Amino acid sequence: PSIPIFTALRSASLVVCKHSNVAVDAVVANIPFEAEDGAATWLNGKPYDKNYRLDFLHRLAYWQWHVGELQACVTFLFNMMKRVSP
């Protein structure tokens, strides 16, 4: 039988996955993860605390754009590029 991911994660102390799809669910549930690839690997090497997890989730959410929000998307991308430019 199929069960919701958050039900399955309730008893987990670590999530190990190939890609980060389920790792994102682990981040939301405050469960550490190991993933080989995907967006959640942005957290690799960073403290696994609430601030970094929330920052990751905010960044991930920024890729969920509606066409009416395009200007805000472009502004965000340019701001991120300024932060990482030499």
Side-chain angles (χ1 to χ4, degrees):
S2 173
I3 60 171
I5 187 68
F6 288 108
T7 301
L9 290 175
R10 262 191 224 141
S11 61
S13 58
L14 176 70
V15 170
V16 179
C17 53
K18 173 84 173 146
H19 200 271
S20 73
N21 291 1
V22 73
V24 172
D25 295 318
V27 171
V28 172
N30 191 22
I31 299 169
F33 70 90
E34 294 290 333
E36 287 185 16
D37 195 15
T41 59
W42 179 86
L43 284 164
N44 289 351
K46 296 176 177 66
Y48 197 69
D49 64 24
K50 181 179 178 179
N51 291 330
Y52 278 102
R53 290 191 322 273
L54 190 57
D55 188 20
F56 162 70
L57 293 170
H58 284 163
R59 290 167 183 267
L60 187 65
Y62 258 97
W63 294 104
Q64 312 302 313
W65 293 102
H66 180 274
V67 70
E69 302 168 316
L70 186 57
Q71 183 57 51
C73 175
V74 170
T75 301
F76 171 77
L77 291 174
F78 278 106
N79 286 336
M80 289 296 105
M81 287 189 291
K82 287 178 195 173
R83 289 175 56 182
V84 298
S85 294

